[in-house]
């Protein structure tokens, strides 16, 4: 028997014993009855169900990837020492000769920049392997580095674990060294190397498959041009099964996914919009990339974008580029146009010929991180009083205050038939900000198609920004704006929204050489 049933039973007995004529007990009795009814109703009330998922939704591995937002590439191989971007495949193994390799210094530079993981080019197109693969002689085991006993993959993976970063591998499908490339035998070789990387180096968060396929190469001494049909040659379905079997939580990257997609350029810039969904049918690595930058809406598959870009003009280290490292202001612009558009940013840090991250790169990263940390250290919306035009079932679990609790698994939602609601933040006092942060609750899909932001100016609402996709993270960055109230309007959505975060932030004062942030789109109209 429940507590409410017990209480109700007790009241019935009390009524019977005291008798209906004893009116002095009637107020108490009625109070007990009402209390029991409230308890009974509360005990039997049906909780408000959450919204139904909409469209494709992310897998567990994709949700983990979304949470990273910012990680790095390490392009490092014989090219570092031959001063090339793409090796031919005929390089002498002895060319690989770092004089002061320091995995912890490399990983520390990435961690200090705020990266959550690193992806190492275990094998680039030249076919040289940064681990002592048993399936080829073209590897570090025949270099002079550490007397042929070294293993870059092992050292970087262990340094990542020591410092709390995730580790991933890049394994180029194209191999300009191997004699069997473009023949069926090469696929067996490639899969054997994939198994080595997935079984000898601990947890892998990402397997990165490049889209460069076929052309001129050494090919075991043949020195010829070899072409393939990249739609069929690699038999990707069976290669991917190896990853799913050996490292089920690793995401796989390629032009076509299946877990994350190329953004369509190497500048680190996502489209606006950049939907997390894509029509995957018929796609293959190295295929058509015309809509990768924006994704597809509606799309058939959840395949969000990764934005890859190098901190230098090239992917591998070249001393001539020491003075051409991207500035902190350039890195910030890339961050807001990648992470701030719902994608993840993969920033390349090429180790130099010592086997370390160059001081110029570190200096730029340090200032970039300082500005980001100062910007997002304090949410200026915290403590605001929130009011929503609708709350799903008037239930606390979907209350607007959830957008300010710093939790990705709580959210504000509306009733199913309310797809264009608004949310107002009444701030305790006027605040000055230039960044608005928004997140959707991803397990329910990407639901919002358009939104607008208004500030309270001179007794009326004035629109100062508008956008389309939100997804994992949307950062609206503009000039400084001061207001005591802010309104978010969902202006287009096929289903009720599920918003997990709304934050207001201010970038620190800019140094004289740092250009101002682009102004937000002016609104001016009353709403």
């Amino acid at each position: 028997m429940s507590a409410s049933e017990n209480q109700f039973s007790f009241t019935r007995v009390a009524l019977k014993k005291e008798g209906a004529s004893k009116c002095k007990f009637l107020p108490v009795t009625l109070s007990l009855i009402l209390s029991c009814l409230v308890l009974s109703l509360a005990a039997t009330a049906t909780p408000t169900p959450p919204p139904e998922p909409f469209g494709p939704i992310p897998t567990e591995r994709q949700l983990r990837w979304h949470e990273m937002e910012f990680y790095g590439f390490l392009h490092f191989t014989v090219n570092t020492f031959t001063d090339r971007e793409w090796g031919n495949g005929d390089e002498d193994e002895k060319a690989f000769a770092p004089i002061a390799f320091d995995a912890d210094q490399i990983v520390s530079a990435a961690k200090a920049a705020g990266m959550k993981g690193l992806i190492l080019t275990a094998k680039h197109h030249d076919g040289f392997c940064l681990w002592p693969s048993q399936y080829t002689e073209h590897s570090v085991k025949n270099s002079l580095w550490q007397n042929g006993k070294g293993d870059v993959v092992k050292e970087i993976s262990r340094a990542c674990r020591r410092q709390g970063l995730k580790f991933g591998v890049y394994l180029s499908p194209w191999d300009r060294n191997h004699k069997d490339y473009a023949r069926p035998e090469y696929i067996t070789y490639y899969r054997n190397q994939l198994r080595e990387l997935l079984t000898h180096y601990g947890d892998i968060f990402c397997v990165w498959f490049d889209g460069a396929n076929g052309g001129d190469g050494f090919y075991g001494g043949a020195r010829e041009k070899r072409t393939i049909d990249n739609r069929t040659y690699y038999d990707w379905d069976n290669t991917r099964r190896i990853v799913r079997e050996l490292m089920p939580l690793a995401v796989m990257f390629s032009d076509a996914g299946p877990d994350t997609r190329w953004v369509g350029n190497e500048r680190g810039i996502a489209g606006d919009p950049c939907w997390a969904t894509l029509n995957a049918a018929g796609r293959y690595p190295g295929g058509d990339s015309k809509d990768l930058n924006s994704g597809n809406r509606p799309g058939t598959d959840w395949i969000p974008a990764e934005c890859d870009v190098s901190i230098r003009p090239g992917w591998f280290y070249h001393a001539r580029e020491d003075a051409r490292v991207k500035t902190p202001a350039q890195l910030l612009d890339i961050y807001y146009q990648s992470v701030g558009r719902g994608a993840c940013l993969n920033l390349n840090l090429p180790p130099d010929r010592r086997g370390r991250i160059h001081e110029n790169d570190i200096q730029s990263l340090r200032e970039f991180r300082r500005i980001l940390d100062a910007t997002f250290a304090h949410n200026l919306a915290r403590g605001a009083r929130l009011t929503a035009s609708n709350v799903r079932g008037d239930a606390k679990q979907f209350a607007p205050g959830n957008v300010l609790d710093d939790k990705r698994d709580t959210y504000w939602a509306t009733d199913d038939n309310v797809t264009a609601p608004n949310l107002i933040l009444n701030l305790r006092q006027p605040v000055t900000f230039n960044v608005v942060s928004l997140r959707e609750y991803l397990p329910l899909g990407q639901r919002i198609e358009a939104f607008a932001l208004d500030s309270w100016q001179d007794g009326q609402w004035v629109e100062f920004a508008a956008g389309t996709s939100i997804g994992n993270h949307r950062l609206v960055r503009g000039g400084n704006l001061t207001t005591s109230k802010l309104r978010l309007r969902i202006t287009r959505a096929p289903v009720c929204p599920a918003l997990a975060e709304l934050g207001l932030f201010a970038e620190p004062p800019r140094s004289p050489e740092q250009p101002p942030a682009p102004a937000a789109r002016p609104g001016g109209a009353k709403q």
Side-chain angles (χ1 to χ4, degrees):
M1 184 178 289
S2 68
S4 59
E5 290 171 330
N6 268 327
Q7 181 66 50
F8 193 69
S9 177
F10 168 79
T11 305
R12 283 189 303 178
V13 171
L15 275 171
K16 188 175 181 180
K17 285 185 176 180
E18 296 296 331
S21 62
K22 296 187 178 180
C23 296
K24 63 179 180 179
F25 295 109
L26 188 58
V28 177
T29 302
L30 288 174
S31 176
L32 284 169
I33 292 173
L34 290 172
S35 298
C36 294
L37 287 172
V38 169
L39 286 169
S40 181
L41 288 171
T44 59
T46 302
T48 303
E52 290 292 326
F54 173 77
I57 59 173
T59 62
E60 177 62 26
R61 71 178 71 90
Q62 288 171 321
L63 287 171
R64 293 186 181 199
W65 173 85
H66 276 296
E67 289 182 2
M68 295 180 71
E69 294 194 340
F70 180 36
Y71 48 87
F73 242 156
L74 298 176
H75 274 67
F76 190 48
T77 187
V78 288
N79 297 347
T80 308
F81 305 92
T82 60
D83 207 25
R84 303 192 61 174
E85 282 290 291
W86 282 16
N88 288 328
D90 60 354
E91 290 78 15
D92 189 333
E93 292 83 17
K94 294 180 177 59
F96 185 79
I99 58 174
F101 179 79
D102 189 339
D104 280 305
Q105 189 268 357
I106 292 170
V107 175
S108 292
K111 183 176 182 178
M115 294 181 181
K116 300 297 192 297
L118 284 170
I119 300 170
L120 174 67
T121 54
K123 186 188 79 168
H124 203 249
H125 312 323
D126 51 73
F128 183 80
C129 298
L130 292 182
W131 79 101
S133 174
Q134 65 174 302
Y135 300 103
T136 183
E137 296 303 306
H138 196 50
S139 81
V140 289
K141 66 185 178 185
N142 287 314
S143 73
L144 298 179
W145 176 63
Q146 294 189 4
N147 296 317
K149 303 298 182 183
D151 186 337
V152 177
V153 180
K154 179 174 70 177
E155 295 207 29
I156 294 293
S157 65
R158 288 182 174 179
C160 282
R161 282 197 295 276
R162 282 194 294 270
Q163 300 193 44
L165 270 66
K166 295 182 179 181
F167 177 68
V169 292
Y170 168 121
L171 187 66
S172 172
W174 186 20
D175 192 318
R176 303 175 88 178
N177 172 268
H178 200 273
K179 65 182 179 61
D180 288 328
Y181 183 79
R183 301 167 181 160
E185 293 82 2
Y186 173 75
I187 302 303
T188 300
Y189 168 76
Y190 185 75
R191 289 172 177 168
N192 283 335
Q193 291 196 317
L194 181 60
R195 287 187 178 92
E196 283 184 317
L197 292 172
L198 297 181
T199 55
H200 295 169
Y201 299 100
D203 188 59
I204 303 292
F205 88 90
C206 177
V207 181
W208 214 94
F209 296 122
D210 197 284
N213 299 293
D216 295 331
F218 175 66
Y219 302 127
R223 295 189 182 277
E224 61 189 15
K225 183 176 182 178
R226 294 184 182 178
T227 60
I228 61 161
D229 183 346
N230 56 359
R231 294 170 298 181
T232 59
Y233 174 63
Y234 295 108
D235 184 20
W236 280 116
D237 286 345
N238 284 312
T239 299
R240 290 166 177 162
R241 286 192 184 100
I242 296 171
V243 181
R244 292 287 190 250
E245 173 193 348
L246 298 177
M247 204 62 61
L249 288 177
V251 295
M252 285 181 272
F253 166 97
S254 81
D255 298 356
D259 297 309
T260 66
R261 72 179 194 264
W262 185 41
V263 78
N265 62 64
E266 293 184 342
R267 297 178 290 111
I269 306 300
D272 187 5
C274 184
W275 303 107
T277 50
L278 192 72
N279 297 325
R283 293 182 183 270
Y284 53 91
D288 187 6
S289 61
K290 62 181 174 61
D291 55 354
L292 295 178
N293 192 242
S294 61
N296 301 125
R297 181 71 172 189
T300 57
D301 302 87
W302 189 277
I303 307 179
E306 177 199 86
C307 298
D308 60 326
V309 62
S310 183
I311 197 170
R312 292 163 170 255
W315 289 95
F316 289 93
Y317 174 81
H318 309 288
R320 63 182 178 274
E321 295 177 354
D322 283 351
R324 301 180 65 191
V325 175
K326 286 182 174 60
T327 65
Q330 289 174 314
L331 293 176
L332 283 168
D333 286 344
I334 290 170
Y335 184 89
Y336 280 101
Q337 294 177 86
S338 55
V339 174
R341 291 179 178 173
C344 279
L345 173 58
N346 182 5
L347 178 64
N348 180 58
L349 306 178
D352 60 21
R353 293 186 180 185
R354 297 172 300 173
R356 296 169 176 244
I357 303 301
H358 193 275
E359 288 75 10
N360 292 5
D361 303 51
I362 291 175
Q363 181 178 359
S364 186
L365 288 168
R366 183 180 295 123
E367 177 62 8
F368 159 74
R369 189 71 242 170
R370 184 196 70 79
I371 296 171
L372 272 186
D373 285 345
T375 300
F376 294 101
H378 178 55
N379 185 354
L380 298 170
R382 183 145 304 128
R385 181 168 56 86
L386 290 91
T387 56
S389 60
N390 180 268
V391 175
R392 187 174 185 84
D394 288 325
K396 183 178 180 181
Q397 69 195 88
F398 304 116
N402 291 336
V403 302
L404 295 179
D405 65 4
D406 291 328
K407 296 178 181 178
R408 290 189 182 217
D409 59 351
T410 62
Y411 54 94
W412 164 57
T414 62
D415 292 323
D416 288 335
N417 62 339
V418 180
T419 60
N422 65 68
L423 182 64
I424 296 175
L425 276 70
N426 287 277
L427 304 163
R428 292 181 175 179
Q429 59 187 10
V431 300
T432 300
F433 63 93
N434 77 311
V435 176
V436 180
S437 175
L438 301 166
R439 290 186 192 275
E440 289 187 79
Y441 179 66
L442 291 192
L444 294 179
Q446 196 165 4
R447 309 168 72 85
I448 298 170
E449 293 185 343
F451 67 92
L453 293 163
D454 309 322
S455 67
W456 188 253
Q457 303 291 338
D458 299 324
Q460 63 183 2
W461 289 112
V462 178
E463 181 181 299
F464 67 90
T468 51
S469 63
I470 295 177
N472 183 58
H473 206 176
R474 180 72 174 204
L475 294 171
V476 180
R477 183 191 190 204
N480 286 340
L481 180 66
T482 301
T483 188
S484 60
K485 291 196 294 185
L486 180 137
R487 181 173 66 177
L488 166 68
R489 289 179 287 119
I490 307 303
T491 56
R492 188 172 68 250
V495 289
C496 69
L499 192 74
E501 179 181 301
L502 196 164
L504 306 179
F505 302 92
E507 292 184 74
R510 299 178 179 90
S511 59
E513 69 275 7
Q514 183 183 345
R521 180 178 67 79
K526 295 181 183 179
Q527 300 295 332

